[in-house]
Amino acid sequence: MVRASAAGKVILLGEHAVVYGRPAIAIPLSGLRATATLAPHPAPFHIQAPAVGIDAPLSALPADHPLARIVYLTAKHLHRPPPDALLRIESEIPVASGLGSGAAVSTAIVRALAAWYGVSLDPPTVSALVYEIERIYHGTPSGIDNTVIAYEQSIYFVRGRPPEPLPVGTTLHLLVADSGIPSPTRVVVGDVRRHWEAEPARYEALFDRVAQEVEAAREAMAQGDIRALGKRMDANHELLREIGVSAPVLDRLVETARRAGALGAKLSGAGRGGTIVALVEKSTARAVEEALRATGAAQVWRTEVASP
Ligand code: MEV
């Protein structure tokens, strides 16, 4: 039997603009994982994914189903057939919440199949395989989700380029709060594209302003200036509102986090629903977490970005 897992992710700054070639910053959520287990099975490859109600032979799934696609793609890459095995998928990452659940499930499957055949795949290879599936989930993905999850490290990312590691001058304490409202990335990314097509100059200018916030945030992180970083996150949230991807529930969570002492807060991921991310100090983390729960956050996770 082999077991492999992959982390969720949170986008700290730059979502949406990253689809249009601007930089973004993403962080793995190593404590929140999807797991793929492969066990010997007498019959041909069988998939169990209880969370999405799948319990079927691989051959019974449509060939373009994301789970089938990643199995076929990985097997092809490994020059092996899908083995006679039972694949069981379990995930702690809520679906359609901006936390990269689809990319994490795909990554866990790639890793499990490679481990089954005793092959070690490097992060760029895993990322490239998962990107193919992201295109089914997302339409026009930037590639940031598969990259941060395959590398499982904090990254500065520009579409089409290798990710750059992100130096941090001081440990960052983050809270990630799920609004509990699912929001498929594909839909929101499609809406932004329609707006961009209708008003290209306005949207290009908004994306440029997001890029400025990302660059300034990267600098602030390197210097360990958490107050400056928080301000950049706040500014990025305002820009995401202008881009049209916030929602009253997200604005409320962001406002709650700030009032309870967060240094900055913004929606994270595609928006409309899904999650927010708040930058806190260790001493205020608890109060902010409690305030978020009291305002109706379905779940709140704490994570850290450690300085070396
Ligand atoms: C999704 O995690 C981030 C978006 O920018 C989409 C993408 O980059 O593919 C909304």
Side-chain angles (χ1 to χ4, degrees), residues 45-81:
F45 200 94
H46 190 100
I47 302 185
Q48 282 181 349
V52 287
I54 289 177
D55 187 354
L58 175 62
S59 56
L61 294 180
D64 64 349
H65 187 285
L67 294 178
R69 234 0 237 289
I70 193 66
V71 171
Y72 288 127
L73 260 177
T74 309
K76 190 170 166 214
H77 180 84
L78 296 169
H79 303 292
R80 307 285 172 90

PDB file of all heavy atoms in Angstrom, residues 45-81:
ATOM      1  N   PHE A  45      -8.192  -0.858 -11.902  1.00  0.00           N
ATOM      2  CA  PHE A  45      -8.139   0.385 -11.119  1.00  0.00           C
ATOM      3  C   PHE A  45      -9.534   0.881 -10.709  1.00  0.00           C
ATOM      4  O   PHE A  45     -10.411   1.067 -11.546  1.00  0.00           O
ATOM      5  CB  PHE A  45      -7.435   1.452 -11.956  1.00  0.00           C
ATOM      6  CG  PHE A  45      -6.886   2.581 -11.142  1.00  0.00           C
ATOM      7  CD1 PHE A  45      -5.566   2.557 -10.711  1.00  0.00           C
ATOM      8  CD2 PHE A  45      -7.664   3.674 -10.808  1.00  0.00           C
ATOM      9  CE1 PHE A  45      -5.036   3.605  -9.966  1.00  0.00           C
ATOM     10  CE2 PHE A  45      -7.154   4.723 -10.066  1.00  0.00           C
ATOM     11  CZ  PHE A  45      -5.828   4.691  -9.648  1.00  0.00           C
ATOM     12  N   HIS A  46      -9.694   1.104  -9.414  1.00  0.00           N
ATOM     13  CA  HIS A  46     -10.999   1.499  -8.873  1.00  0.00           C
ATOM     14  C   HIS A  46     -10.806   2.766  -8.037  1.00  0.00           C
ATOM     15  O   HIS A  46      -9.831   2.868  -7.293  1.00  0.00           O
ATOM     16  CB  HIS A  46     -11.537   0.366  -7.996  1.00  0.00           C
ATOM     17  CG  HIS A  46     -12.965   0.555  -7.578  1.00  0.00           C
ATOM     18  ND1 HIS A  46     -14.018  -0.090  -8.210  1.00  0.00           N
ATOM     19  CD2 HIS A  46     -13.524   1.320  -6.603  1.00  0.00           C
ATOM     20  CE1 HIS A  46     -15.160   0.269  -7.627  1.00  0.00           C
ATOM     21  NE2 HIS A  46     -14.887   1.135  -6.649  1.00  0.00           N
ATOM     22  N   ILE A  47     -11.726   3.724  -8.158  1.00  0.00           N
ATOM     23  CA  ILE A  47     -11.585   4.990  -7.420  1.00  0.00           C
ATOM     24  C   ILE A  47     -12.695   5.141  -6.389  1.00  0.00           C
ATOM     25  O   ILE A  47     -13.881   4.979  -6.706  1.00  0.00           O
ATOM     26  CB  ILE A  47     -11.642   6.202  -8.378  1.00  0.00           C
ATOM     27  CG1 ILE A  47     -10.551   6.095  -9.449  1.00  0.00           C
ATOM     28  CG2 ILE A  47     -11.501   7.521  -7.613  1.00  0.00           C
ATOM     29  CD1 ILE A  47     -10.464   7.299 -10.367  1.00  0.00           C
ATOM     30  N   GLN A  48     -12.302   5.455  -5.172  1.00  0.00           N
ATOM     31  CA  GLN A  48     -13.270   5.817  -4.127  1.00  0.00           C
ATOM     32  C   GLN A  48     -12.968   7.237  -3.667  1.00  0.00           C
ATOM     33  O   GLN A  48     -11.867   7.500  -3.173  1.00  0.00           O
ATOM     34  CB  GLN A  48     -13.127   4.887  -2.916  1.00  0.00           C
ATOM     35  CG  GLN A  48     -13.750   3.531  -3.115  1.00  0.00           C
ATOM     36  CD  GLN A  48     -13.595   2.664  -1.872  1.00  0.00           C
ATOM     37  OE1 GLN A  48     -12.846   2.997  -0.947  1.00  0.00           O
ATOM     38  NE2 GLN A  48     -14.295   1.546  -1.848  1.00  0.00           N
ATOM     39  N   ALA A  49     -13.931   8.112  -3.854  1.00  0.00           N
ATOM     40  CA  ALA A  49     -13.799   9.489  -3.358  1.00  0.00           C
ATOM     41  C   ALA A  49     -15.113   9.819  -2.661  1.00  0.00           C
ATOM     42  O   ALA A  49     -16.021  10.411  -3.256  1.00  0.00           O
ATOM     43  CB  ALA A  49     -13.521  10.447  -4.508  1.00  0.00           C
ATOM     44  N   PRO A  50     -15.260   9.379  -1.397  1.00  0.00           N
ATOM     45  CA  PRO A  50     -16.561   9.489  -0.722  1.00  0.00           C
ATOM     46  C   PRO A  50     -17.108  10.906  -0.683  1.00  0.00           C
ATOM     47  O   PRO A  50     -18.315  11.110  -0.809  1.00  0.00           O
ATOM     48  CB  PRO A  50     -16.288   8.963   0.686  1.00  0.00           C
ATOM     49  CG  PRO A  50     -14.894   8.450   0.707  1.00  0.00           C
ATOM     50  CD  PRO A  50     -14.218   8.767  -0.574  1.00  0.00           C
ATOM     51  N   ALA A  51     -16.241  11.902  -0.558  1.00  0.00           N
ATOM     52  CA  ALA A  51     -16.723  13.282  -0.421  1.00  0.00           C
ATOM     53  C   ALA A  51     -17.487  13.745  -1.662  1.00  0.00           C
ATOM     54  O   ALA A  51     -18.358  14.619  -1.571  1.00  0.00           O
ATOM     55  CB  ALA A  51     -15.546  14.219  -0.165  1.00  0.00           C
ATOM     56  N   VAL A  52     -17.159  13.170  -2.825  1.00  0.00           N
ATOM     57  CA  VAL A  52     -17.880  13.575  -4.043  1.00  0.00           C
ATOM     58  C   VAL A  52     -18.733  12.424  -4.579  1.00  0.00           C
ATOM     59  O   VAL A  52     -19.167  12.438  -5.735  1.00  0.00           O
ATOM     60  CB  VAL A  52     -16.915  14.117  -5.142  1.00  0.00           C
ATOM     61  CG1 VAL A  52     -16.395  15.482  -4.766  1.00  0.00           C
ATOM     62  CG2 VAL A  52     -15.756  13.168  -5.411  1.00  0.00           C
ATOM     63  N   GLY A  53     -18.968  11.418  -3.703  1.00  0.00           N
ATOM     64  CA  GLY A  53     -19.895  10.336  -4.052  1.00  0.00           C
ATOM     65  C   GLY A  53     -19.402   9.417  -5.164  1.00  0.00           C
ATOM     66  O   GLY A  53     -20.218   8.847  -5.892  1.00  0.00           O
ATOM     67  N   ILE A  54     -18.088   9.259  -5.297  1.00  0.00           N
ATOM     68  CA  ILE A  54     -17.571   8.373  -6.353  1.00  0.00           C
ATOM     69  C   ILE A  54     -17.065   7.077  -5.736  1.00  0.00           C
ATOM     70  O   ILE A  54     -16.283   7.086  -4.783  1.00  0.00           O
ATOM     71  CB  ILE A  54     -16.457   9.079  -7.160  1.00  0.00           C
ATOM     72  CG1 ILE A  54     -17.091  10.177  -8.009  1.00  0.00           C
ATOM     73  CG2 ILE A  54     -15.695   8.083  -8.051  1.00  0.00           C
ATOM     74  CD1 ILE A  54     -16.113  11.003  -8.796  1.00  0.00           C
ATOM     75  N   ASP A  55     -17.555   5.963  -6.276  1.00  0.00           N
ATOM     76  CA  ASP A  55     -17.080   4.629  -5.903  1.00  0.00           C
ATOM     77  C   ASP A  55     -17.246   3.794  -7.162  1.00  0.00           C
ATOM     78  O   ASP A  55     -18.283   3.159  -7.376  1.00  0.00           O
ATOM     79  CB  ASP A  55     -17.926   4.088  -4.738  1.00  0.00           C
ATOM     80  CG  ASP A  55     -17.380   2.775  -4.197  1.00  0.00           C
ATOM     81  OD1 ASP A  55     -16.421   2.227  -4.794  1.00  0.00           O
ATOM     82  OD2 ASP A  55     -17.912   2.276  -3.185  1.00  0.00           O
ATOM     83  N   ALA A  56     -16.250   3.825  -8.044  1.00  0.00           N
ATOM     84  CA  ALA A  56     -16.446   3.267  -9.388  1.00  0.00           C
ATOM     85  C   ALA A  56     -15.124   2.852 -10.011  1.00  0.00           C
ATOM     86  O   ALA A  56     -14.075   3.409  -9.673  1.00  0.00           O
ATOM     87  CB  ALA A  56     -17.100   4.335 -10.280  1.00  0.00           C
ATOM     88  N   PRO A  57     -15.196   1.894 -10.938  1.00  0.00           N
ATOM     89  CA  PRO A  57     -13.979   1.580 -11.683  1.00  0.00           C
ATOM     90  C   PRO A  57     -13.575   2.795 -12.519  1.00  0.00           C
ATOM     91  O   PRO A  57     -14.444   3.556 -12.973  1.00  0.00           O
ATOM     92  CB  PRO A  57     -14.396   0.427 -12.608  1.00  0.00           C
ATOM     93  CG  PRO A  57     -15.767   0.027 -12.196  1.00  0.00           C
ATOM     94  CD  PRO A  57     -16.360   1.112 -11.352  1.00  0.00           C
ATOM     95  N   LEU A  58     -12.275   2.945 -12.714  1.00  0.00           N
ATOM     96  CA  LEU A  58     -11.774   4.064 -13.521  1.00  0.00           C
ATOM     97  C   LEU A  58     -12.477   4.110 -14.881  1.00  0.00           C
ATOM     98  O   LEU A  58     -12.852   5.177 -15.371  1.00  0.00           O
ATOM     99  CB  LEU A  58     -10.257   3.872 -13.697  1.00  0.00           C
ATOM    100  CG  LEU A  58      -9.513   4.839 -14.593  1.00  0.00           C
ATOM    101  CD1 LEU A  58      -9.601   6.260 -14.050  1.00  0.00           C
ATOM    102  CD2 LEU A  58      -8.047   4.426 -14.736  1.00  0.00           C
ATOM    103  N   SER A  59     -12.687   2.926 -15.463  1.00  0.00           N
ATOM    104  CA  SER A  59     -13.266   2.855 -16.818  1.00  0.00           C
ATOM    105  C   SER A  59     -14.709   3.360 -16.847  1.00  0.00           C
ATOM    106  O   SER A  59     -15.235   3.679 -17.909  1.00  0.00           O
ATOM    107  CB  SER A  59     -13.212   1.418 -17.332  1.00  0.00           C
ATOM    108  OG  SER A  59     -13.874   0.582 -16.405  1.00  0.00           O
ATOM    109  N   ALA A  60     -15.369   3.453 -15.668  1.00  0.00           N
ATOM    110  CA  ALA A  60     -16.764   3.919 -15.653  1.00  0.00           C
ATOM    111  C   ALA A  60     -16.851   5.442 -15.601  1.00  0.00           C
ATOM    112  O   ALA A  60     -17.920   6.023 -15.803  1.00  0.00           O
ATOM    113  CB  ALA A  60     -17.492   3.328 -14.449  1.00  0.00           C
ATOM    114  N   LEU A  61     -15.726   6.114 -15.318  1.00  0.00           N
ATOM    115  CA  LEU A  61     -15.762   7.592 -15.270  1.00  0.00           C
ATOM    116  C   LEU A  61     -15.529   8.145 -16.671  1.00  0.00           C
ATOM    117  O   LEU A  61     -14.763   7.579 -17.452  1.00  0.00           O
ATOM    118  CB  LEU A  61     -14.662   8.129 -14.345  1.00  0.00           C
ATOM    119  CG  LEU A  61     -14.779   7.814 -12.857  1.00  0.00           C
ATOM    120  CD1 LEU A  61     -13.600   8.416 -12.100  1.00  0.00           C
ATOM    121  CD2 LEU A  61     -16.075   8.377 -12.296  1.00  0.00           C
ATOM    122  N   PRO A  62     -16.167   9.282 -16.995  1.00  0.00           N
ATOM    123  CA  PRO A  62     -15.874   9.905 -18.292  1.00  0.00           C
ATOM    124  C   PRO A  62     -14.376  10.223 -18.383  1.00  0.00           C
ATOM    125  O   PRO A  62     -13.768  10.612 -17.371  1.00  0.00           O
ATOM    126  CB  PRO A  62     -16.700  11.201 -18.277  1.00  0.00           C
ATOM    127  CG  PRO A  62     -17.638  11.088 -17.129  1.00  0.00           C
ATOM    128  CD  PRO A  62     -17.110  10.056 -16.182  1.00  0.00           C
ATOM    129  N   ALA A  63     -13.792  10.050 -19.560  1.00  0.00           N
ATOM    130  CA  ALA A  63     -12.331  10.213 -19.695  1.00  0.00           C
ATOM    131  C   ALA A  63     -11.886  11.626 -19.326  1.00  0.00           C
ATOM    132  O   ALA A  63     -10.733  11.844 -18.952  1.00  0.00           O
ATOM    133  CB  ALA A  63     -11.899   9.869 -21.109  1.00  0.00           C
ATOM    134  N   ASP A  64     -12.804  12.622 -19.437  1.00  0.00           N
ATOM    135  CA  ASP A  64     -12.388  13.987 -19.096  1.00  0.00           C
ATOM    136  C   ASP A  64     -12.763  14.359 -17.659  1.00  0.00           C
ATOM    137  O   ASP A  64     -12.642  15.517 -17.266  1.00  0.00           O
ATOM    138  CB  ASP A  64     -12.973  14.999 -20.096  1.00  0.00           C
ATOM    139  CG  ASP A  64     -14.494  15.028 -20.037  1.00  0.00           C
ATOM    140  OD1 ASP A  64     -15.081  14.137 -19.381  1.00  0.00           O
ATOM    141  OD2 ASP A  64     -15.081  15.932 -20.656  1.00  0.00           O
ATOM    142  N   HIS A  65     -13.215  13.374 -16.871  1.00  0.00           N
ATOM    143  CA  HIS A  65     -13.436  13.659 -15.446  1.00  0.00           C
ATOM    144  C   HIS A  65     -12.068  13.951 -14.816  1.00  0.00           C
ATOM    145  O   HIS A  65     -11.097  13.235 -15.076  1.00  0.00           O
ATOM    146  CB  HIS A  65     -14.082  12.446 -14.772  1.00  0.00           C
ATOM    147  CG  HIS A  65     -14.491  12.709 -13.361  1.00  0.00           C
ATOM    148  ND1 HIS A  65     -13.576  12.782 -12.332  1.00  0.00           N
ATOM    149  CD2 HIS A  65     -15.703  12.944 -12.808  1.00  0.00           C
ATOM    150  CE1 HIS A  65     -14.214  13.046 -11.202  1.00  0.00           C
ATOM    151  NE2 HIS A  65     -15.506  13.146 -11.468  1.00  0.00           N
ATOM    152  N   PRO A  66     -11.969  15.010 -13.979  1.00  0.00           N
ATOM    153  CA  PRO A  66     -10.647  15.374 -13.446  1.00  0.00           C
ATOM    154  C   PRO A  66      -9.916  14.219 -12.762  1.00  0.00           C
ATOM    155  O   PRO A  66      -8.703  14.086 -12.926  1.00  0.00           O
ATOM    156  CB  PRO A  66     -10.961  16.494 -12.451  1.00  0.00           C
ATOM    157  CG  PRO A  66     -12.282  17.047 -12.887  1.00  0.00           C
ATOM    158  CD  PRO A  66     -13.021  15.942 -13.570  1.00  0.00           C
ATOM    159  N   LEU A  67     -10.644  13.381 -12.014  1.00  0.00           N
ATOM    160  CA  LEU A  67      -9.969  12.277 -11.315  1.00  0.00           C
ATOM    161  C   LEU A  67      -9.438  11.240 -12.314  1.00  0.00           C
ATOM    162  O   LEU A  67      -8.323  10.735 -12.182  1.00  0.00           O
ATOM    163  CB  LEU A  67     -10.912  11.605 -10.312  1.00  0.00           C
ATOM    164  CG  LEU A  67     -11.341  12.458  -9.123  1.00  0.00           C
ATOM    165  CD1 LEU A  67     -12.318  11.689  -8.225  1.00  0.00           C
ATOM    166  CD2 LEU A  67     -10.137  12.920  -8.306  1.00  0.00           C
ATOM    167  N   ALA A  68     -10.254  10.940 -13.334  1.00  0.00           N
ATOM    168  CA  ALA A  68      -9.801   9.978 -14.349  1.00  0.00           C
ATOM    169  C   ALA A  68      -8.636  10.565 -15.142  1.00  0.00           C
ATOM    170  O   ALA A  68      -7.627   9.900 -15.404  1.00  0.00           O
ATOM    171  CB  ALA A  68     -10.966   9.644 -15.280  1.00  0.00           C
ATOM    172  N   ARG A  69      -8.767  11.842 -15.475  1.00  0.00           N
ATOM    173  CA  ARG A  69      -7.745  12.498 -16.304  1.00  0.00           C
ATOM    174  C   ARG A  69      -6.365  12.482 -15.649  1.00  0.00           C
ATOM    175  O   ARG A  69      -5.362  12.187 -16.288  1.00  0.00           O
ATOM    176  CB  ARG A  69      -8.166  13.935 -16.478  1.00  0.00           C
ATOM    177  CG  ARG A  69      -8.335  14.666 -17.775  1.00  0.00           C
ATOM    178  CD  ARG A  69      -8.108  14.072 -19.054  1.00  0.00           C
ATOM    179  NE  ARG A  69      -7.110  14.819 -19.828  1.00  0.00           N
ATOM    180  CZ  ARG A  69      -7.322  16.009 -20.353  1.00  0.00           C
ATOM    181  NH1 ARG A  69      -8.484  16.584 -20.245  1.00  0.00           N
ATOM    182  NH2 ARG A  69      -6.366  16.607 -21.009  1.00  0.00           N
ATOM    183  N   ILE A  70      -6.332  12.765 -14.346  1.00  0.00           N
ATOM    184  CA  ILE A  70      -5.018  12.834 -13.684  1.00  0.00           C
ATOM    185  C   ILE A  70      -4.415  11.435 -13.570  1.00  0.00           C
ATOM    186  O   ILE A  70      -3.193  11.266 -13.692  1.00  0.00           O
ATOM    187  CB  ILE A  70      -5.079  13.561 -12.311  1.00  0.00           C
ATOM    188  CG1 ILE A  70      -3.670  13.898 -11.806  1.00  0.00           C
ATOM    189  CG2 ILE A  70      -5.850  12.795 -11.263  1.00  0.00           C
ATOM    190  CD1 ILE A  70      -2.915  14.887 -12.609  1.00  0.00           C
ATOM    191  N   VAL A  71      -5.266  10.411 -13.414  1.00  0.00           N
ATOM    192  CA  VAL A  71      -4.745   9.038 -13.363  1.00  0.00           C
ATOM    193  C   VAL A  71      -4.153   8.672 -14.733  1.00  0.00           C
ATOM    194  O   VAL A  71      -3.015   8.196 -14.837  1.00  0.00           O
ATOM    195  CB  VAL A  71      -5.853   8.039 -12.950  1.00  0.00           C
ATOM    196  CG1 VAL A  71      -5.365   6.598 -13.104  1.00  0.00           C
ATOM    197  CG2 VAL A  71      -6.286   8.296 -11.508  1.00  0.00           C
ATOM    198  N   TYR A  72      -4.909   8.910 -15.807  1.00  0.00           N
ATOM    199  CA  TYR A  72      -4.425   8.556 -17.158  1.00  0.00           C
ATOM    200  C   TYR A  72      -3.156   9.347 -17.510  1.00  0.00           C
ATOM    201  O   TYR A  72      -2.194   8.806 -18.040  1.00  0.00           O
ATOM    202  CB  TYR A  72      -5.503   8.837 -18.209  1.00  0.00           C
ATOM    203  CG  TYR A  72      -6.678   7.869 -18.179  1.00  0.00           C
ATOM    204  CD1 TYR A  72      -7.987   8.344 -18.105  1.00  0.00           C
ATOM    205  CD2 TYR A  72      -6.484   6.485 -18.227  1.00  0.00           C
ATOM    206  CE1 TYR A  72      -9.067   7.472 -18.075  1.00  0.00           C
ATOM    207  CE2 TYR A  72      -7.566   5.610 -18.203  1.00  0.00           C
ATOM    208  CZ  TYR A  72      -8.854   6.110 -18.129  1.00  0.00           C
ATOM    209  OH  TYR A  72      -9.921   5.242 -18.097  1.00  0.00           O
ATOM    210  N   LEU A  73      -3.189  10.642 -17.196  1.00  0.00           N
ATOM    211  CA  LEU A  73      -2.027  11.497 -17.534  1.00  0.00           C
ATOM    212  C   LEU A  73      -0.766  11.041 -16.817  1.00  0.00           C
ATOM    213  O   LEU A  73       0.315  10.978 -17.410  1.00  0.00           O
ATOM    214  CB  LEU A  73      -2.307  12.928 -17.083  1.00  0.00           C
ATOM    215  CG  LEU A  73      -2.771  13.941 -18.090  1.00  0.00           C
ATOM    216  CD1 LEU A  73      -3.055  15.258 -17.377  1.00  0.00           C
ATOM    217  CD2 LEU A  73      -1.697  14.153 -19.151  1.00  0.00           C
ATOM    218  N   THR A  74      -0.925  10.725 -15.527  1.00  0.00           N
ATOM    219  CA  THR A  74       0.241  10.322 -14.733  1.00  0.00           C
ATOM    220  C   THR A  74       0.750   8.961 -15.204  1.00  0.00           C
ATOM    221  O   THR A  74       1.959   8.756 -15.368  1.00  0.00           O
ATOM    222  CB  THR A  74      -0.116  10.267 -13.228  1.00  0.00           C
ATOM    223  OG1 THR A  74      -0.742  11.493 -12.877  1.00  0.00           O
ATOM    224  CG2 THR A  74       1.115  10.080 -12.363  1.00  0.00           C
ATOM    225  N   ALA A  75      -0.186   8.044 -15.462  1.00  0.00           N
ATOM    226  CA  ALA A  75       0.217   6.713 -15.935  1.00  0.00           C
ATOM    227  C   ALA A  75       0.986   6.867 -17.258  1.00  0.00           C
ATOM    228  O   ALA A  75       2.038   6.250 -17.454  1.00  0.00           O
ATOM    229  CB  ALA A  75      -1.017   5.833 -16.115  1.00  0.00           C
ATOM    230  N   LYS A  76       0.479   7.722 -18.122  1.00  0.00           N
ATOM    231  CA  LYS A  76       1.148   7.932 -19.417  1.00  0.00           C
ATOM    232  C   LYS A  76       2.553   8.490 -19.197  1.00  0.00           C
ATOM    233  O   LYS A  76       3.520   8.045 -19.807  1.00  0.00           O
ATOM    234  CB  LYS A  76       0.304   8.907 -20.243  1.00  0.00           C
ATOM    235  CG  LYS A  76       0.756   9.023 -21.665  1.00  0.00           C
ATOM    236  CD  LYS A  76      -0.259   9.803 -22.493  1.00  0.00           C
ATOM    237  CE  LYS A  76       0.392  10.191 -23.804  1.00  0.00           C
ATOM    238  NZ  LYS A  76      -0.055  11.456 -24.311  1.00  0.00           N
ATOM    239  N   HIS A  77       2.639   9.467 -18.291  1.00  0.00           N
ATOM    240  CA  HIS A  77       3.941  10.068 -18.005  1.00  0.00           C
ATOM    241  C   HIS A  77       4.928   9.021 -17.473  1.00  0.00           C
ATOM    242  O   HIS A  77       6.119   9.059 -17.778  1.00  0.00           O
ATOM    243  CB  HIS A  77       3.794  11.206 -16.997  1.00  0.00           C
ATOM    244  CG  HIS A  77       5.094  11.856 -16.657  1.00  0.00           C
ATOM    245  ND1 HIS A  77       5.644  12.852 -17.434  1.00  0.00           N
ATOM    246  CD2 HIS A  77       5.983  11.599 -15.667  1.00  0.00           C
ATOM    247  CE1 HIS A  77       6.808  13.191 -16.916  1.00  0.00           C
ATOM    248  NE2 HIS A  77       7.034  12.453 -15.849  1.00  0.00           N
ATOM    249  N   LEU A  78       4.417   8.087 -16.667  1.00  0.00           N
ATOM    250  CA  LEU A  78       5.280   7.058 -16.056  1.00  0.00           C
ATOM    251  C   LEU A  78       5.525   5.879 -17.007  1.00  0.00           C
ATOM    252  O   LEU A  78       6.238   4.944 -16.661  1.00  0.00           O
ATOM    253  CB  LEU A  78       4.626   6.537 -14.758  1.00  0.00           C
ATOM    254  CG  LEU A  78       4.450   7.566 -13.628  1.00  0.00           C
ATOM    255  CD1 LEU A  78       3.566   7.003 -12.510  1.00  0.00           C
ATOM    256  CD2 LEU A  78       5.805   7.981 -13.047  1.00  0.00           C
ATOM    257  N   HIS A  79       4.874   5.921 -18.181  1.00  0.00           N
ATOM    258  CA  HIS A  79       4.955   4.818 -19.163  1.00  0.00           C
ATOM    259  C   HIS A  79       4.499   3.495 -18.549  1.00  0.00           C
ATOM    260  O   HIS A  79       5.092   2.450 -18.776  1.00  0.00           O
ATOM    261  CB  HIS A  79       6.386   4.668 -19.717  1.00  0.00           C
ATOM    262  CG  HIS A  79       6.893   5.929 -20.356  1.00  0.00           C
ATOM    263  ND1 HIS A  79       6.363   6.431 -21.526  1.00  0.00           N
ATOM    264  CD2 HIS A  79       7.847   6.790 -19.969  1.00  0.00           C
ATOM    265  CE1 HIS A  79       6.974   7.553 -21.829  1.00  0.00           C
ATOM    266  NE2 HIS A  79       7.877   7.801 -20.896  1.00  0.00           N
ATOM    267  N   ARG A  80       3.447   3.554 -17.736  1.00  0.00           N
ATOM    268  CA  ARG A  80       2.884   2.359 -17.105  1.00  0.00           C
ATOM    269  C   ARG A  80       1.361   2.436 -17.244  1.00  0.00           C
ATOM    270  O   ARG A  80       0.809   3.528 -17.332  1.00  0.00           O
ATOM    271  CB  ARG A  80       3.198   2.299 -15.610  1.00  0.00           C
ATOM    272  CG  ARG A  80       4.639   2.431 -15.227  1.00  0.00           C
ATOM    273  CD  ARG A  80       5.395   1.136 -15.524  1.00  0.00           C
ATOM    274  NE  ARG A  80       6.818   1.360 -15.312  1.00  0.00           N
ATOM    275  CZ  ARG A  80       7.431   1.161 -14.150  1.00  0.00           C
ATOM    276  NH1 ARG A  80       6.757   0.732 -13.125  1.00  0.00           N
ATOM    277  NH2 ARG A  80       8.719   1.393 -14.026  1.00  0.00           N
ATOM    278  N   PRO A  81       0.679   1.300 -17.195  1.00  0.00           N
ATOM    279  CA  PRO A  81      -0.795   1.355 -17.166  1.00  0.00           C
ATOM    280  C   PRO A  81      -1.261   1.712 -15.761  1.00  0.00           C
ATOM    281  O   PRO A  81      -0.508   1.494 -14.795  1.00  0.00           O
ATOM    282  CB  PRO A  81      -1.190  -0.087 -17.510  1.00  0.00           C
ATOM    283  CG  PRO A  81      -0.035  -0.912 -17.033  1.00  0.00           C
ATOM    284  CD  PRO A  81       1.211  -0.061 -17.145  1.00  0.00           C
TER     285      PRO A  81
END
